[in-house]
């Protein structure tokens, strides 16, 4: 089972940018979809961005045009570039493999995530 470890979070002012990274414990070349989720205090975890093995992406409406997901298979890395950050983007961000049956579920277990805090 591949393990995914997130990093790159931090404190940033509104309008700023951050780049999150996710390193996999083994090759992701054979893995289809990977995604970034987030969970803010008192809210359910939500899928933010998703990328297929072929590089097709989709995004939550709330981040469309501001966030970009990418993957580097040879480096076993998944990234989330976040621009024009807003205070409502404040959350713990997780990298995971969406389950084929529903993106509400994941393959494997949740990692520790990385905290992103956007100040106004």
């Amino acid at each position: 089972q591949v393990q995914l470890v997130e990093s790159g979070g931090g404190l940033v002012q509104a309008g700023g940018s951050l780049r999150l990274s996710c390193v996999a414990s083994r090759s992701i070349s054979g893995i289809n979809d990977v995604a970034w989720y987030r969970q803010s205090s008192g809210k359910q975890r939500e899928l933010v961005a998703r990328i297929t093995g072929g590089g097709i992406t989709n995004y939550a409406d709330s981040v469309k045009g501001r966030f970009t997901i990418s993957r580097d298979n040879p480096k076993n890395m998944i990234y989330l570039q976040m621009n024009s950050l807003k205070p409502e983007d404040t959350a713990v961000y997780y990298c995971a493999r969406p389950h084929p049956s529903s993106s509400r579920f994941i393959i494997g277990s949740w990692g520790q995530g990385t905290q992103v805090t956007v100040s106004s």
Side-chain angles (χ1 to χ4, degrees):
Q1 189 69 271
V2 64
Q3 303 297 318
L4 301 171
V5 178
E6 309 89 347
S7 64
L11 174 63
V12 64
Q13 287 189 331
S17 298
L18 279 176
R19 187 196 197 200
L20 305 184
S21 298
C22 172
V23 59
S25 59
R26 63 168 179 82
S27 174
I28 62 170
S29 297
I31 292 176
N32 196 8
D33 292 17
V34 288
W36 285 94
Y37 293 76
R38 69 184 180 188
Q39 186 170 25
S40 51
S41 181
K43 295 186 178 180
Q44 286 191 330
R45 197 153 10 205
E46 61 172 341
L47 189 148
V48 173
R50 182 171 186 163
I51 185 168
T52 69
I56 297 172
T57 59
N58 60 66
Y59 300 91
D61 288 343
S62 58
V63 306
K64 208 169 289 185
R66 300 188 298 121
F67 290 12
T68 303
I69 187 171
S70 61
R71 61 192 290 169
D72 186 337
N73 287 349
K75 294 184 179 179
N76 300 335
M77 296 293 294
I78 303 104
Y79 303 101
L80 185 68
Q81 178 66 44
M82 306 186 296
N83 299 328
S84 302
L85 282 161
K86 304 175 180 180
E88 50 264 43
D89 294 319
T90 295
V92 179
Y93 285 72
Y94 302 87
C95 176
R97 299 172 59 192
H99 197 279
S101 64
S102 170
S103 61
R104 291 181 299 165
F105 308 107
I106 65 168
I107 298 171
S109 56
W110 295 103
Q112 290 189 321
T114 186
Q115 174 72 47
V116 171
T117 303
V118 184
S119 63
S120 57

